[in-house]
Amino acid sequence: MQSSLGQGLHVAIIMDGNGRWATRRGLPRIAGHRAGLAAARRVVEHASDIGVRCLTLYAFSSDNWRRPTAEVQSIFLLLRAFLRLETERMRQRGARLEVIGRRDRLSQPVLRSIQNSEWRTSAGRGIHLRVAIDYSSRDAIASAAAGAIAVLSGEGQPSCDLVRPMLGQALAANAGDVDLLIRTGGEKRLSDFLLWESAYAELLFTDRMWPDFDEGDLDAAIEEFRNRERRFGGVPAPVVSIAGGTR
């Protein structure tokens, strides 16, 4: 029986700790990325099972190009393998895949794999899976702001409503704001990930390395989210007592 624990939520995850996970085991870093893909597979499927509406995974930031060339090449080989092996499974489960971020610096084989997977899952009405590749939130916001300035042409005032639609793929219409942002690996920062969409997100940081993150960890994170009070700048709602008064 499927759970409704994550019903309607937009969950974002910074999948951190692959390299350190491998290093601590005396393995090459690429072994950590391979284990990270296995973790992504089980988390995506579980998120779908518990009713998460949208899941955004931070796979490769624009800053990650600074890593050794061999590691970057290996990451993209793994990405292509993941798409080749998992696209049909996602299609059958009703998932819709969307890749966000820059595409002009990706190789043609990687682009073709992404476009094929997006096309084959485009009819999905289940979980909306977004994978951030060559992604920078600052770049997305800066581009949107430049577009807003061009539209204004010296007239009117900039506003969130004007900038939001110009974020394009970085803020897809069906994704909306992030409800819960999780970062694995023990670090406590956002690292240029979904800064606009996470303005009122609940943040959860865990020491668990991404390859070890599993279904129970996701359930626990969402349970904690459900127990938090989200006021969006307002005040707590009054508690109605049995006698009919408030406190």
Side-chain angles (χ1 to χ4, degrees):
M1 179 182 297
Q2 291 191 341
S3 165
S4 61
L5 177 65
Q7 194 67 43
L9 295 181
H10 181 179
V11 178
I13 305 179
I14 301 174
M15 304 181 295
D16 194 19
N18 290 343
R20 282 173 289 153
W21 180 92
T23 299
R24 291 174 183 179
R25 289 163 174 76
L27 301 171
R29 288 176 61 85
I30 189 59
H33 295 304
R34 191 175 293 113
L37 278 182
R41 180 185 299 113
R42 62 177 176 258
V43 167
V44 168
E45 292 192 357
H46 188 61
S48 177
D49 288 342
I50 62 175
V52 170
R53 174 181 59 82
C54 182
L55 177 66
T56 304
L57 302 178
Y58 206 5
F60 190 86
S61 77
S62 294
D63 289 330
N64 287 154
W65 290 111
R66 301 174 184 174
R67 295 187 177 189
T69 300
E71 181 175 348
V72 171
Q73 291 174 341
S74 296
I75 288 172
F76 281 107
L77 284 174
L78 286 173
L79 172 65
R80 290 183 64 200
F82 177 81
L83 293 175
R84 184 177 66 252
L85 296 171
E86 295 300 318
T87 295
E88 180 58 23
R89 185 197 299 253
M90 287 189 287
R91 190 192 67 79
Q92 292 178 357
R93 293 175 65 89
R96 177 165 65 92
L97 174 70
E98 178 186 19
V99 172
I100 63 173
R102 292 181 59 171
R103 301 195 180 199
D104 58 303
R105 295 189 288 195
L106 303 182
S107 69
Q108 286 302 310
V110 170
L111 275 174
R112 285 194 294 270
S113 295
I114 289 171
Q115 291 164 352
N116 177 63
S117 295
E118 288 180 328
W119 176 73
R120 289 177 60 190
T121 63
S122 59
R125 295 295 178 266
I127 190 171
H128 182 186
L129 173 62
R130 302 197 309 162
V131 181
I133 298 172
D134 195 0
Y135 175 83
S136 164
S137 188
R138 283 181 170 180
D139 285 353
I141 293 171
S143 296
I149 292 171
V151 169
L152 288 169
S153 298
E155 298 180 2
Q157 295 293 324
S159 68
C160 290
D161 289 338
L162 181 61
V163 173
R164 181 181 293 271
M166 295 181 182
L167 284 169
Q169 280 194 319
L171 183 60
N174 293 330
D177 290 339
V178 173
D179 296 299
L180 170 64
L181 190 149
I182 302 166
R183 179 169 187 151
T184 62
E187 305 292 351
K188 296 178 175 63
R189 55 180 177 268
L190 296 182
S191 296
D192 201 13
F193 182 51
L194 302 180
L195 302 179
W196 180 284
E197 300 93 314
S198 299
Y200 279 99
E202 294 295 322
L203 308 180
L204 189 145
F205 301 101
T206 173
D207 290 333
R208 189 177 292 275
M209 298 297 170
W210 175 246
D212 293 328
F213 195 86
D214 60 19
E215 298 90 338
D217 294 313
L218 181 60
D219 285 346
I222 294 177
E223 285 280 9
E224 179 170 334
F225 167 84
R226 294 295 188 191
N227 289 326
R228 293 185 184 181
E229 183 177 36
R230 306 180 77 199
R231 299 193 296 273
F232 301 98
V235 296
V239 178
V240 178
S241 69
I242 298 177
T246 60
R247 57 182 176 88

